[in-house]
Amino acid sequence: MKGKVYLVGAGPGDYKLLTLKGLECIRKADVIVYDRLANINYLKEAKKGCEFINVGKASSHHLLPQDQINRLIADKALEGKIVTRLKGGDPYVFGRGGEEGELLKAEGIEFEVVPGVTSAIGGLCYAGIPITHRDHASSFHVITGHLRKDGKENPEINWNALANMKGTLVFLMGVSNLKNISENLIKEGMSKDTPVAFVSWATRYNQRVVTATLEDAYEVAIREEVKPPTLIVVGTVVNLRDTLNFFEKKPLFGKSIMVTRSRSQNSKLVERIMDLGGNPIEIPTIKIEKVQDNKELENEIKNLKDYTYLVLTSKNGVDIFFDKLDEMGLDCRALANIKVCSIGATTSKAIIRRGIKPDIQPEKAVGESLYDELKDIVNKEDNVLKATDKVLIPRAKNAREFLVKKLNEISNVTEVVTYESVMDDSKKEEAINALEEGNLDYITFASSSTVTNFINLIGEENKDKLSNTKIISIGKITTKTILDNGLEVYKESEKASIESMIEAMSE
């Protein structure tokens, strides 16, 4: 039984420049065959058990030659598997997707091609260079910069036409052939003062743009150590870069930021860092382990009618509680006569997604603030919170005792453990290597447990390596834990929220 192959353009590098159809193909694949220029984070979207095959294809160094890649894709499909061939840029713009498709057709294997944003256009855009402009270029030309294997010029390149067409020229894979490119264009009549731009690692956090003129392009590239992968842009549209450069002005552009939350919680922070031009390095220090077959929680849900308050302290707690409601054949209507209290904006959003608007959310996302809110209620004339009230708090094992202890003084509290936060040591080596390389700009701690777990993860002997990295804390309690461990806090976010942490780094 034959499978099917999707030849998918992965775009130029920015994670969000993949098409919806491309993402769909990644998620349904049994096998993903990917190139060096495809964003590695796309592999996180694959289904469990998907096979990943890296075929490399750096300049002049291929893990597999193209003919073997063609054969590999076909063989996997002949095993009855769905194969997604993930290619940087667009499969048909010097991506050799046509050759792969020809072999698949010859062997009777069904395939589809999913276009991608080519770096020749998307990469220029992120460098502030429009590939066409009514005052500068009414056409564009994308040319391979590779020499033939015998070192000779590609005979199909008409240098005279390119030099005199007045359009934007974009050379892909042309750094090693730059001297010949510039000399040929000048020889055929192009002005030696024509602007040139080199765009390296286009659309990524480490994008670098170097400008020159056609006459000194080769010398500038040598001096500035321009290396692949780099686009070479020739034309007066390069002069618009100062006006239209938006990407490199993003507040976190070029910054490498370590994120230490649990993998299930870090998505928003990681996404915001990428949106602002930064490079998130995910080092989860916490794993969430749900209490299985939680009879105690089931029993309290059965007796929800006896409770007057429900306190939810985290997104994890919200999800586990409402999932259990659903499992028991109930929904948000079971909370009709209960006041729902939330700690933190993230927790509140998770509650709202379940169809409930929290009755009480303190300004600060800590237990002390919620206690102050409820304490004020008990002091009001209508005495909303009474000694006879019952409060249900489903939350993590070993959570801080403050809230339960203090609320017990003015009401009846039942605490139910629904999950446990344990240390995640899966990225230990990656964490230590990142600290040793010294290229981190920030490390974020969103709770005291992430601080403690991270130090346990890297070991006390490596703690001094944190001295070269700016530490961002989500709030006072986390800051205290950081200071208690002998570390310095560069900035503490004004509010205990992810958005506030982003603002602290952006400023």
mmCIF file of all heavy atoms in Angstrom, residues 204-251:
data_model
loop_
_atom_site.group_PDB
_atom_site.id
_atom_site.type_symbol
_atom_site.label_atom_id
_atom_site.label_comp_id
_atom_site.label_asym_id
_atom_site.label_seq_id
_atom_site.Cartn_x
_atom_site.Cartn_y
_atom_site.Cartn_z
ATOM 1 N N ARG A 204 15.045 35.633 10.881
ATOM 2 C CA ARG A 204 15.300 35.027 12.190
ATOM 3 C C ARG A 204 15.837 36.069 13.165
ATOM 4 O O ARG A 204 16.247 37.160 12.765
ATOM 5 C CB ARG A 204 16.283 33.865 12.056
ATOM 6 C CG ARG A 204 15.741 32.728 11.180
ATOM 7 C CD ARG A 204 16.747 31.602 11.062
ATOM 8 N NE ARG A 204 16.276 30.567 10.156
ATOM 9 C CZ ARG A 204 15.972 29.315 10.513
ATOM 10 N NH1 ARG A 204 16.052 28.959 11.785
ATOM 11 N NH2 ARG A 204 15.561 28.428 9.625
ATOM 12 N N TYR A 205 15.881 35.688 14.434
ATOM 13 C CA TYR A 205 16.323 36.629 15.472
ATOM 14 C C TYR A 205 17.759 37.096 15.231
ATOM 15 O O TYR A 205 18.149 38.186 15.644
ATOM 16 C CB TYR A 205 16.221 35.978 16.863
ATOM 17 C CG TYR A 205 17.379 35.066 17.186
ATOM 18 C CD1 TYR A 205 18.448 35.514 17.958
ATOM 19 C CD2 TYR A 205 17.427 33.761 16.697
ATOM 20 C CE1 TYR A 205 19.517 34.694 18.239
ATOM 21 C CE2 TYR A 205 18.492 32.935 16.971
ATOM 22 C CZ TYR A 205 19.531 33.396 17.747
ATOM 23 O OH TYR A 205 20.604 32.583 18.020
ATOM 24 N N ASN A 206 18.575 36.267 14.576
ATOM 25 C CA ASN A 206 19.973 36.613 14.313
ATOM 26 C C ASN A 206 20.187 37.148 12.900
ATOM 27 O O ASN A 206 21.293 37.095 12.359
ATOM 28 C CB ASN A 206 20.879 35.406 14.547
ATOM 29 C CG ASN A 206 20.486 34.189 13.719
ATOM 30 O OD1 ASN A 206 19.344 34.066 13.297
ATOM 31 N ND2 ASN A 206 21.412 33.289 13.484
ATOM 32 N N GLN A 207 19.116 37.670 12.295
ATOM 33 C CA GLN A 207 19.242 38.282 10.969
ATOM 34 C C GLN A 207 20.302 39.381 11.006
ATOM 35 O O GLN A 207 20.377 40.171 11.943
ATOM 36 C CB GLN A 207 17.905 38.871 10.542
ATOM 37 C CG GLN A 207 17.965 39.679 9.251
ATOM 38 C CD GLN A 207 16.616 40.195 8.831
ATOM 39 O OE1 GLN A 207 15.722 39.407 8.499
ATOM 40 N NE2 GLN A 207 16.423 41.500 8.849
ATOM 41 N N ARG A 208 21.095 39.432 9.952
ATOM 42 C CA ARG A 208 22.140 40.450 9.848
ATOM 43 C C ARG A 208 22.146 40.988 8.433
ATOM 44 O O ARG A 208 22.103 40.216 7.468
ATOM 45 C CB ARG A 208 23.507 39.846 10.185
ATOM 46 C CG ARG A 208 24.674 40.819 10.087
ATOM 47 C CD ARG A 208 25.971 40.116 10.486
ATOM 48 N NE ARG A 208 27.114 41.002 10.398
ATOM 49 C CZ ARG A 208 28.224 40.740 9.689
ATOM 50 N NH1 ARG A 208 28.329 39.609 9.008
ATOM 51 N NH2 ARG A 208 29.217 41.596 9.657
ATOM 52 N N VAL A 209 22.187 42.309 8.291
ATOM 53 C CA VAL A 209 22.182 42.934 6.968
ATOM 54 C C VAL A 209 23.413 43.819 6.833
ATOM 55 O O VAL A 209 23.683 44.662 7.692
ATOM 56 C CB VAL A 209 20.904 43.773 6.747
ATOM 57 C CG1 VAL A 209 20.913 44.401 5.357
ATOM 58 C CG2 VAL A 209 19.652 42.913 6.932
ATOM 59 N N VAL A 210 24.141 43.618 5.760
ATOM 60 C CA VAL A 210 25.326 44.429 5.437
ATOM 61 C C VAL A 210 25.092 45.050 4.065
ATOM 62 O O VAL A 210 24.664 44.353 3.135
ATOM 63 C CB VAL A 210 26.603 43.569 5.420
ATOM 64 C CG1 VAL A 210 27.806 44.391 4.959
ATOM 65 C CG2 VAL A 210 26.866 42.965 6.802
ATOM 66 N N THR A 211 25.342 46.337 3.939
ATOM 67 C CA THR A 211 25.144 47.001 2.646
ATOM 68 C C THR A 211 26.480 47.426 2.044
ATOM 69 O O THR A 211 27.461 47.635 2.750
ATOM 70 C CB THR A 211 24.226 48.228 2.785
ATOM 71 O OG1 THR A 211 24.771 49.124 3.758
ATOM 72 C CG2 THR A 211 22.830 47.810 3.225
ATOM 73 N N ALA A 212 26.479 47.557 0.731
ATOM 74 C CA ALA A 212 27.693 47.933 -0.005
ATOM 75 C C ALA A 212 27.261 48.484 -1.360
ATOM 76 O O ALA A 212 26.077 48.736 -1.603
ATOM 77 C CB ALA A 212 28.598 46.704 -0.174
ATOM 78 N N THR A 213 28.220 48.685 -2.237
ATOM 79 C CA THR A 213 27.933 48.986 -3.640
ATOM 80 C C THR A 213 28.442 47.823 -4.467
ATOM 81 O O THR A 213 29.222 46.993 -3.977
ATOM 82 C CB THR A 213 28.610 50.281 -4.099
ATOM 83 O OG1 THR A 213 30.046 50.102 -4.038
ATOM 84 C CG2 THR A 213 28.195 51.458 -3.230
ATOM 85 N N LEU A 214 28.024 47.783 -5.713
ATOM 86 C CA LEU A 214 28.443 46.671 -6.566
ATOM 87 C C LEU A 214 29.962 46.630 -6.694
ATOM 88 O O LEU A 214 30.569 45.556 -6.721
ATOM 89 C CB LEU A 214 27.781 46.811 -7.942
ATOM 90 C CG LEU A 214 27.796 45.581 -8.848
ATOM 91 C CD1 LEU A 214 27.134 44.397 -8.168
ATOM 92 C CD2 LEU A 214 27.089 45.895 -10.169
ATOM 93 N N GLU A 215 30.585 47.803 -6.734
ATOM 94 C CA GLU A 215 32.037 47.863 -6.911
ATOM 95 C C GLU A 215 32.795 47.265 -5.725
ATOM 96 O O GLU A 215 33.788 46.553 -5.913
ATOM 97 C CB GLU A 215 32.481 49.316 -7.119
ATOM 98 C CG GLU A 215 33.975 49.458 -7.367
ATOM 99 C CD GLU A 215 34.390 50.914 -7.564
ATOM 100 O OE1 GLU A 215 33.820 51.795 -6.880
ATOM 101 O OE2 GLU A 215 35.280 51.159 -8.405
ATOM 102 N N ASP A 216 32.348 47.551 -4.503
ATOM 103 C CA ASP A 216 33.105 47.073 -3.337
ATOM 104 C C ASP A 216 32.417 45.906 -2.619
ATOM 105 O O ASP A 216 32.798 45.547 -1.492
ATOM 106 C CB ASP A 216 33.364 48.216 -2.356
ATOM 107 C CG ASP A 216 32.083 48.783 -1.736
ATOM 108 O OD1 ASP A 216 31.003 48.228 -1.986
ATOM 109 O OD2 ASP A 216 32.186 49.773 -0.987
ATOM 110 N N ALA A 217 31.423 45.297 -3.260
ATOM 111 C CA ALA A 217 30.637 44.244 -2.614
ATOM 112 C C ALA A 217 31.514 43.089 -2.129
ATOM 113 O O ALA A 217 31.367 42.612 -0.989
ATOM 114 C CB ALA A 217 29.565 43.721 -3.571
ATOM 115 N N TYR A 218 32.429 42.658 -2.964
ATOM 116 C CA TYR A 218 33.265 41.505 -2.602
ATOM 117 C C TYR A 218 34.157 41.829 -1.406
ATOM 118 O O TYR A 218 34.243 41.052 -0.454
ATOM 119 C CB TYR A 218 34.111 41.077 -3.804
ATOM 120 C CG TYR A 218 35.012 39.905 -3.517
ATOM 121 C CD1 TYR A 218 34.475 38.625 -3.313
ATOM 122 C CD2 TYR A 218 36.395 40.059 -3.456
ATOM 123 C CE1 TYR A 218 35.301 37.546 -3.051
ATOM 124 C CE2 TYR A 218 37.225 38.982 -3.184
ATOM 125 C CZ TYR A 218 36.676 37.727 -2.985
ATOM 126 O OH TYR A 218 37.501 36.658 -2.719
ATOM 127 N N GLU A 219 34.791 43.018 -1.440
ATOM 128 C CA GLU A 219 35.685 43.414 -0.341
ATOM 129 C C GLU A 219 34.910 43.580 0.962
ATOM 130 O O GLU A 219 35.371 43.166 2.035
ATOM 131 C CB GLU A 219 36.411 44.717 -0.679
ATOM 132 C CG GLU A 219 37.475 44.605 -1.758
ATOM 133 C CD GLU A 219 36.898 44.466 -3.164
ATOM 134 O OE1 GLU A 219 35.680 44.779 -3.354
ATOM 135 O OE2 GLU A 219 37.636 44.026 -4.069
ATOM 136 N N VAL A 220 33.705 44.173 0.881
ATOM 137 C CA VAL A 220 32.879 44.359 2.079
ATOM 138 C C VAL A 220 32.472 43.008 2.662
ATOM 139 O O VAL A 220 32.506 42.799 3.879
ATOM 140 C CB VAL A 220 31.634 45.212 1.757
ATOM 141 C CG1 VAL A 220 30.644 45.187 2.923
ATOM 142 C CG2 VAL A 220 32.041 46.650 1.440
ATOM 143 N N ALA A 221 32.087 42.091 1.795
ATOM 144 C CA ALA A 221 31.668 40.768 2.261
ATOM 145 C C ALA A 221 32.814 40.043 2.964
ATOM 146 O O ALA A 221 32.594 39.378 3.995
ATOM 147 C CB ALA A 221 31.157 39.935 1.087
ATOM 148 N N ILE A 222 34.027 40.177 2.444
ATOM 149 C CA ILE A 222 35.191 39.555 3.089
ATOM 150 C C ILE A 222 35.444 40.212 4.444
ATOM 151 O O ILE A 222 35.638 39.537 5.465
ATOM 152 C CB ILE A 222 36.442 39.681 2.195
ATOM 153 C CG1 ILE A 222 36.259 38.880 0.889
ATOM 154 C CG2 ILE A 222 37.688 39.226 2.947
ATOM 155 C CD1 ILE A 222 36.157 37.392 1.086
ATOM 156 N N ARG A 223 35.430 41.559 4.444
ATOM 157 C CA ARG A 223 35.730 42.297 5.674
ATOM 158 C C ARG A 223 34.693 42.026 6.769
ATOM 159 O O ARG A 223 35.036 41.871 7.942
ATOM 160 C CB ARG A 223 35.785 43.795 5.371
ATOM 161 C CG ARG A 223 36.191 44.644 6.574
ATOM 162 C CD ARG A 223 36.318 46.115 6.221
ATOM 163 N NE ARG A 223 35.035 46.743 5.916
ATOM 164 C CZ ARG A 223 34.710 47.245 4.737
ATOM 165 N NH1 ARG A 223 35.564 47.215 3.719
ATOM 166 N NH2 ARG A 223 33.529 47.807 4.539
ATOM 167 N N GLU A 224 33.422 41.948 6.380
ATOM 168 C CA GLU A 224 32.340 41.761 7.345
ATOM 169 C C GLU A 224 32.048 40.280 7.611
ATOM 170 O O GLU A 224 31.114 39.950 8.343
ATOM 171 C CB GLU A 224 31.067 42.450 6.843
ATOM 172 C CG GLU A 224 31.195 43.954 6.702
ATOM 173 C CD GLU A 224 31.374 44.628 8.044
ATOM 174 O OE1 GLU A 224 30.879 44.092 9.056
ATOM 175 O OE2 GLU A 224 32.016 45.703 8.086
ATOM 176 N N GLU A 225 32.852 39.416 7.001
ATOM 177 C CA GLU A 225 32.722 37.962 7.209
ATOM 178 C C GLU A 225 31.302 37.468 6.920
ATOM 179 O O GLU A 225 30.688 36.757 7.712
ATOM 180 C CB GLU A 225 33.147 37.581 8.627
ATOM 181 C CG GLU A 225 34.601 37.917 8.921
ATOM 182 C CD GLU A 225 35.041 37.470 10.312
ATOM 183 O OE1 GLU A 225 34.165 37.160 11.150
ATOM 184 O OE2 GLU A 225 36.252 37.418 10.564
ATOM 185 N N VAL A 226 30.787 37.876 5.769
ATOM 186 C CA VAL A 226 29.460 37.433 5.338
ATOM 187 C C VAL A 226 29.536 35.965 4.929
ATOM 188 O O VAL A 226 30.373 35.588 4.111
ATOM 189 C CB VAL A 226 28.953 38.290 4.158
ATOM 190 C CG1 VAL A 226 27.656 37.727 3.608
ATOM 191 C CG2 VAL A 226 28.774 39.739 4.600
ATOM 192 N N LYS A 227 28.673 35.144 5.530
ATOM 193 C CA LYS A 227 28.696 33.702 5.261
ATOM 194 C C LYS A 227 27.283 33.203 4.956
ATOM 195 O O LYS A 227 26.291 33.858 5.303
ATOM 196 C CB LYS A 227 29.246 32.952 6.483
ATOM 197 C CG LYS A 227 30.735 33.208 6.741
ATOM 198 C CD LYS A 227 31.213 32.448 7.970
ATOM 199 C CE LYS A 227 32.736 32.521 8.110
ATOM 200 N NZ LYS A 227 33.229 33.904 8.204
ATOM 201 N N PRO A 228 27.178 32.040 4.302
ATOM 202 C CA PRO A 228 25.859 31.461 4.045
ATOM 203 C C PRO A 228 25.172 31.105 5.374
ATOM 204 O O PRO A 228 25.870 30.879 6.365
ATOM 205 C CB PRO A 228 26.164 30.199 3.243
ATOM 206 C CG PRO A 228 27.573 30.386 2.739
ATOM 207 C CD PRO A 228 28.264 31.219 3.760
ATOM 208 N N PRO A 229 23.838 31.054 5.400
ATOM 209 C CA PRO A 229 22.924 31.361 4.291
ATOM 210 C C PRO A 229 22.697 32.872 4.177
ATOM 211 O O PRO A 229 22.321 33.520 5.146
ATOM 212 C CB PRO A 229 21.632 30.654 4.705
ATOM 213 C CG PRO A 229 21.677 30.663 6.206
ATOM 214 C CD PRO A 229 23.116 30.555 6.587
ATOM 215 N N THR A 230 22.960 33.401 2.991
ATOM 216 C CA THR A 230 22.859 34.845 2.755
ATOM 217 C C THR A 230 22.232 35.118 1.395
ATOM 218 O O THR A 230 22.600 34.494 0.396
ATOM 219 C CB THR A 230 24.250 35.500 2.824
ATOM 220 O OG1 THR A 230 24.755 35.415 4.157
ATOM 221 C CG2 THR A 230 24.191 36.968 2.432
ATOM 222 N N LEU A 231 21.290 36.047 1.375
ATOM 223 C CA LEU A 231 20.721 36.543 0.129
ATOM 224 C C LEU A 231 21.563 37.721 -0.351
ATOM 225 O O LEU A 231 21.996 38.540 0.455
ATOM 226 C CB LEU A 231 19.298 37.041 0.346
ATOM 227 C CG LEU A 231 18.275 36.084 0.961
ATOM 228 C CD1 LEU A 231 17.080 36.865 1.491
ATOM 229 C CD2 LEU A 231 17.834 35.073 -0.069
ATOM 230 N N ILE A 232 21.782 37.801 -1.645
ATOM 231 C CA ILE A 232 22.472 38.956 -2.224
ATOM 232 C C ILE A 232 21.436 39.746 -3.022
ATOM 233 O O ILE A 232 20.819 39.218 -3.954
ATOM 234 C CB ILE A 232 23.628 38.522 -3.138
ATOM 235 C CG1 ILE A 232 24.636 37.672 -2.361
ATOM 236 C CG2 ILE A 232 24.324 39.746 -3.735
ATOM 237 C CD1 ILE A 232 25.676 37.000 -3.235
ATOM 238 N N VAL A 233 21.224 41.000 -2.643
ATOM 239 C CA VAL A 233 20.223 41.849 -3.296
ATOM 240 C C VAL A 233 20.940 42.968 -4.037
ATOM 241 O O VAL A 233 21.772 43.668 -3.456
ATOM 242 C CB VAL A 233 19.252 42.475 -2.274
ATOM 243 C CG1 VAL A 233 18.082 43.129 -2.992
ATOM 244 C CG2 VAL A 233 18.772 41.439 -1.270
ATOM 245 N N VAL A 234 20.610 43.146 -5.310
ATOM 246 C CA VAL A 234 21.247 44.181 -6.131
ATOM 247 C C VAL A 234 20.150 45.067 -6.714
ATOM 248 O O VAL A 234 19.241 44.585 -7.394
ATOM 249 C CB VAL A 234 22.081 43.563 -7.276
ATOM 250 C CG1 VAL A 234 22.776 44.664 -8.080
ATOM 251 C CG2 VAL A 234 23.110 42.566 -6.732
ATOM 252 N N GLY A 235 20.223 46.372 -6.418
ATOM 253 C CA GLY A 235 19.228 47.299 -6.959
ATOM 254 C C GLY A 235 18.988 48.474 -6.040
ATOM 255 O O GLY A 235 19.330 48.439 -4.847
ATOM 256 N N THR A 236 18.393 49.525 -6.569
ATOM 257 C CA THR A 236 18.200 50.747 -5.782
ATOM 258 C C THR A 236 17.140 50.587 -4.690
ATOM 259 O O THR A 236 17.032 51.426 -3.804
ATOM 260 C CB THR A 236 17.814 51.923 -6.691
ATOM 261 O OG1 THR A 236 16.628 51.593 -7.426
ATOM 262 C CG2 THR A 236 18.936 52.252 -7.666
ATOM 263 N N VAL A 237 16.373 49.487 -4.724
ATOM 264 C CA VAL A 237 15.422 49.244 -3.633
ATOM 265 C C VAL A 237 16.148 49.096 -2.292
ATOM 266 O O VAL A 237 15.556 49.314 -1.233
ATOM 267 C CB VAL A 237 14.560 47.981 -3.898
ATOM 268 C CG1 VAL A 237 13.550 48.230 -4.990
ATOM 269 C CG2 VAL A 237 15.442 46.775 -4.219
ATOM 270 N N VAL A 238 17.428 48.754 -2.340
ATOM 271 C CA VAL A 238 18.216 48.625 -1.112
ATOM 272 C C VAL A 238 18.235 49.945 -0.340
ATOM 273 O O VAL A 238 18.294 49.961 0.899
ATOM 274 C CB VAL A 238 19.654 48.146 -1.441
ATOM 275 C CG1 VAL A 238 20.553 48.208 -0.203
ATOM 276 C CG2 VAL A 238 19.628 46.727 -2.009
ATOM 277 N N ASN A 239 18.142 51.061 -1.060
ATOM 278 C CA ASN A 239 18.186 52.380 -0.410
ATOM 279 C C ASN A 239 16.969 52.655 0.470
ATOM 280 O O ASN A 239 16.981 53.589 1.278
ATOM 281 C CB ASN A 239 18.298 53.487 -1.468
ATOM 282 C CG ASN A 239 19.661 53.497 -2.157
ATOM 283 O OD1 ASN A 239 20.657 53.092 -1.560
ATOM 284 N ND2 ASN A 239 19.693 53.949 -3.388
ATOM 285 N N LEU A 240 15.928 51.840 0.333
ATOM 286 C CA LEU A 240 14.716 52.037 1.133
ATOM 287 C C LEU A 240 14.808 51.360 2.499
ATOM 288 O O LEU A 240 13.910 51.498 3.328
ATOM 289 C CB LEU A 240 13.496 51.490 0.379
ATOM 290 C CG LEU A 240 13.159 52.201 -0.929
ATOM 291 C CD1 LEU A 240 12.098 51.429 -1.698
ATOM 292 C CD2 LEU A 240 12.681 53.615 -0.643
ATOM 293 N N ARG A 241 15.890 50.667 2.735
ATOM 294 C CA ARG A 241 16.026 49.891 3.965
ATOM 295 C C ARG A 241 15.887 50.751 5.222
ATOM 296 O O ARG A 241 15.203 50.363 6.180
ATOM 297 C CB ARG A 241 17.372 49.159 3.963
ATOM 298 C CG ARG A 241 17.710 48.506 5.284
ATOM 299 C CD ARG A 241 18.941 47.623 5.176
ATOM 300 N NE ARG A 241 19.578 47.472 6.475
ATOM 301 C CZ ARG A 241 19.129 46.717 7.462
ATOM 302 N NH1 ARG A 241 18.005 46.057 7.310
ATOM 303 N NH2 ARG A 241 19.776 46.622 8.609
ATOM 304 N N ASP A 242 16.517 51.907 5.256
ATOM 305 C CA ASP A 242 16.456 52.746 6.457
ATOM 306 C C ASP A 242 15.025 53.166 6.786
ATOM 307 O O ASP A 242 14.661 53.321 7.951
ATOM 308 C CB ASP A 242 17.331 53.993 6.284
ATOM 309 C CG ASP A 242 18.814 53.661 6.331
ATOM 310 O OD1 ASP A 242 19.146 52.567 6.833
ATOM 311 O OD2 ASP A 242 19.621 54.479 5.869
ATOM 312 N N THR A 243 14.216 53.328 5.754
ATOM 313 C CA THR A 243 12.828 53.758 5.950
ATOM 314 C C THR A 243 11.917 52.597 6.323
ATOM 315 O O THR A 243 11.035 52.730 7.183
ATOM 316 C CB THR A 243 12.293 54.420 4.670
ATOM 317 O OG1 THR A 243 13.126 55.529 4.334
ATOM 318 C CG2 THR A 243 10.854 54.902 4.851
ATOM 319 N N LEU A 244 12.126 51.448 5.703
ATOM 320 C CA LEU A 244 11.168 50.344 5.814
ATOM 321 C C LEU A 244 11.612 49.216 6.737
ATOM 322 O O LEU A 244 10.904 48.212 6.879
ATOM 323 C CB LEU A 244 10.882 49.773 4.418
ATOM 324 C CG LEU A 244 10.314 50.778 3.409
ATOM 325 C CD1 LEU A 244 10.114 50.102 2.054
ATOM 326 C CD2 LEU A 244 8.995 51.354 3.904
ATOM 327 N N ASN A 245 12.749 49.355 7.377
ATOM 328 C CA ASN A 245 13.242 48.298 8.263
ATOM 329 C C ASN A 245 12.415 48.257 9.552
ATOM 330 O O ASN A 245 12.544 49.103 10.419
ATOM 331 C CB ASN A 245 14.714 48.539 8.590
ATOM 332 C CG ASN A 245 15.267 47.511 9.555
ATOM 333 O OD1 ASN A 245 14.692 46.439 9.734
ATOM 334 N ND2 ASN A 245 16.378 47.839 10.182
ATOM 335 N N PHE A 246 11.551 47.278 9.664
ATOM 336 C CA PHE A 246 10.704 47.150 10.859
ATOM 337 C C PHE A 246 11.175 46.027 11.788
ATOM 338 O O PHE A 246 11.090 46.138 13.009
ATOM 339 C CB PHE A 246 9.245 46.862 10.454
ATOM 340 C CG PHE A 246 9.038 45.492 9.875
ATOM 341 C CD1 PHE A 246 8.621 44.440 10.677
ATOM 342 C CD2 PHE A 246 9.271 45.245 8.523
ATOM 343 C CE1 PHE A 246 8.443 43.169 10.152
ATOM 344 C CE2 PHE A 246 9.088 43.976 7.989
ATOM 345 C CZ PHE A 246 8.679 42.932 8.813
ATOM 346 N N PHE A 247 11.696 44.958 11.207
ATOM 347 C CA PHE A 247 11.981 43.751 11.988
ATOM 348 C C PHE A 247 13.100 43.966 13.001
ATOM 349 O O PHE A 247 12.986 43.593 14.172
ATOM 350 C CB PHE A 247 12.332 42.609 11.029
ATOM 351 C CG PHE A 247 12.607 41.300 11.712
ATOM 352 C CD1 PHE A 247 11.642 40.711 12.519
ATOM 353 C CD2 PHE A 247 13.814 40.650 11.534
ATOM 354 C CE1 PHE A 247 11.884 39.491 13.148
ATOM 355 C CE2 PHE A 247 14.066 39.437 12.153
ATOM 356 C CZ PHE A 247 13.101 38.859 12.955
ATOM 357 N N GLU A 248 14.173 44.594 12.560
ATOM 358 C CA GLU A 248 15.327 44.765 13.444
ATOM 359 C C GLU A 248 15.091 45.828 14.512
ATOM 360 O O GLU A 248 15.921 46.012 15.408
ATOM 361 C CB GLU A 248 16.567 45.104 12.611
ATOM 362 C CG GLU A 248 17.000 43.945 11.717
ATOM 363 C CD GLU A 248 17.967 44.386 10.635
ATOM 364 O OE1 GLU A 248 18.864 45.197 10.924
ATOM 365 O OE2 GLU A 248 17.810 43.930 9.488
ATOM 366 N N LYS A 249 13.947 46.524 14.431
ATOM 367 C CA LYS A 249 13.617 47.520 15.443
ATOM 368 C C LYS A 249 12.692 46.970 16.524
ATOM 369 O O LYS A 249 12.290 47.688 17.432
ATOM 370 C CB LYS A 249 12.986 48.743 14.772
ATOM 371 C CG LYS A 249 13.976 49.482 13.874
ATOM 372 C CD LYS A 249 13.338 50.673 13.192
ATOM 373 C CE LYS A 249 14.354 51.387 12.292
ATOM 374 N NZ LYS A 249 13.753 52.527 11.568
ATOM 375 N N LYS A 250 12.352 45.702 16.424
ATOM 376 C CA LYS A 250 11.514 45.097 17.457
ATOM 377 C C LYS A 250 12.285 45.072 18.775
ATOM 378 O O LYS A 250 13.506 44.896 18.787
ATOM 379 C CB LYS A 250 11.099 43.685 17.047
ATOM 380 C CG LYS A 250 10.120 43.682 15.880
ATOM 381 C CD LYS A 250 9.480 42.325 15.680
ATOM 382 C CE LYS A 250 8.372 42.381 14.645
ATOM 383 N NZ LYS A 250 7.563 41.160 14.612
ATOM 384 N N PRO A 251 11.576 45.247 19.906
ATOM 385 C CA PRO A 251 12.270 45.457 21.182
ATOM 386 C C PRO A 251 13.155 44.313 21.653
ATOM 387 O O PRO A 251 14.108 44.540 22.406
ATOM 388 C CB PRO A 251 11.123 45.711 22.178
ATOM 389 C CG PRO A 251 9.893 45.229 21.505
ATOM 390 C CD PRO A 251 10.123 45.392 20.045
#
